[in-house]
Amino acid sequence: PSDKKKNTWQERMVNHYHSHLYKEYVLADMSRAPSQLGLRWRTQQEVQNGRGHATCGNKHCPSGSARKSLSKAAQLLLESYYQSPHQPESEEEEEKLLARLPHGAGLHDYEVPFTYTEQGETKTELVKLRLCLRCSPLLFKGGALDARRARSKLHDNADNAVHDNESLPEESINNEDPPQATEQKKRAYSSDGASISDHEERKSRRRHGKPQKKKAKRH
């Protein structure tokens, strides 16, 4: 291909990557939620700092906009919440369980509709809003119990649900710019714990069968 076509293809790839990068997660003003939800895209600096991905996407979350490590005590409380076999039957009971956790702990993705204008065109699409366990009830009319049910639909078990900012590899949350970070996020979120490359290798084996060992040539 000519240099012009090559450059055009490269530009499209770069634009596609950056469009996906900056339009995957949003930040939310939840001061009037759930009746009104103010959403906006993250800035370049916020993406690089991990805001709204490695931190709670609620702009008014008491945990703040900077990444923070959970204390040992907070990690134990979070594990206890996820692993408890008891299912709360009332909103008050669930709120008491959540009140034991610090803000910013237990980050989960929730899909929300976002209507915005781009180059004079009105668009609506589903985007990801990442919230901590304490802020997630604000998103639902049914409060904390509805938030718990929504998480249960997204995760098959409690172990798969524990994908907060403490459990992700440091490389995948430090900087969202390099493609390597995106690949590591795919590996971290693989549903059965296997990497993406592991899945591809299994598919290849099923299609082509086990590779045969080459016989050594006799001289």
Side-chain angles (χ1 to χ4, degrees):
S2 65
D3 291 340
K4 185 175 181 181
K5 288 184 178 180
K6 185 177 179 181
N7 291 336
T8 302
W9 177 83
Q10 290 176 341
E11 288 172 1
R12 287 203 304 268
M13 290 294 293
V14 170
N15 291 335
H16 175 76
Y17 172 73
H18 283 281
S19 175
H20 177 74
L21 181 66
Y22 294 109
K23 293 183 179 180
E24 183 177 8
Y25 288 92
V26 294
L27 297 178
D29 181 351
M30 307 186 73
S31 57
R32 299 182 180 181
S35 58
Q36 291 183 350
L37 194 64
L39 303 177
R40 71 167 175 84
W41 299 120
R42 299 179 298 166
T43 65
Q44 181 178 359
Q45 189 64 48
E46 287 170 338
V47 170
Q48 293 174 348
N49 292 340
R51 187 179 184 188
H53 172 252
T55 68
C56 181
N58 178 11
K59 290 169 57 180
H60 303 295
C61 178
S63 64
S65 59
R67 284 195 296 265
K68 298 176 184 177
S69 297
L70 289 181
S71 66
K72 189 67 176 179
Q75 290 180 25
L76 291 174
L77 287 172
L78 186 61
E79 290 176 8
S80 175
Y81 174 84
Y82 282 130
Q83 297 173 4
S84 174
H86 175 68
Q87 297 292 321
E89 298 180 357
S90 67
E91 182 74 9
E92 183 180 2
E93 190 177 358
E94 174 68 1
E95 287 177 350
K96 285 183 179 179
L97 292 175
L98 293 177
R100 301 170 60 195
L101 304 173
H103 282 88
L107 298 175
H108 291 265
D109 293 346
Y110 302 88
E111 285 192 331
V112 292
F114 183 25
T115 300
Y116 61 98
T117 302
E118 184 177 70
Q119 297 180 348
E121 182 182 355
T122 301
K123 300 180 179 180
T124 300
E125 60 183 278
L126 286 176
V127 294
K128 294 178 183 178
L129 174 60
R130 195 159 173 83
L131 298 174
C132 67
L133 291 174
R134 293 288 297 272
C135 289
S136 59
L138 298 174
L139 189 61
F140 299 89
K141 292 182 179 180
L145 281 181
D146 273 5
R148 176 185 274 266
R149 295 187 190 103
R151 288 192 298 272
S152 297
K153 292 180 180 179
L154 293 173
H155 303 282
D156 295 330
N157 52 59
D159 289 334
N160 194 36
V162 187
H163 282 306
D164 57 9
N165 50 314
E166 285 74 36
S167 63
L168 282 173
E170 187 65 22
E171 294 86 347
S172 68
I173 61 176
N174 262 351
N175 190 344
E176 294 187 32
D177 275 339
Q180 293 91 334
T182 304
E183 181 61 26
Q184 289 202 6
K185 282 189 285 185
K186 289 180 182 177
R187 295 171 68 91
Y189 281 94
S190 180
S191 60
D192 60 359
S195 68
I196 301 300
S197 58
D198 291 336
H199 288 299
E200 294 301 325
E201 185 178 347
R202 290 173 193 166
K203 290 179 181 178
S204 178
R205 287 176 181 174
R206 286 196 295 268
R207 287 197 302 266
H208 305 293
K210 294 183 178 180
Q212 295 180 352
K213 293 184 179 179
K214 293 182 179 179
K215 294 182 179 179
K217 295 182 178 179
R218 294 182 180 179
H219 298 284

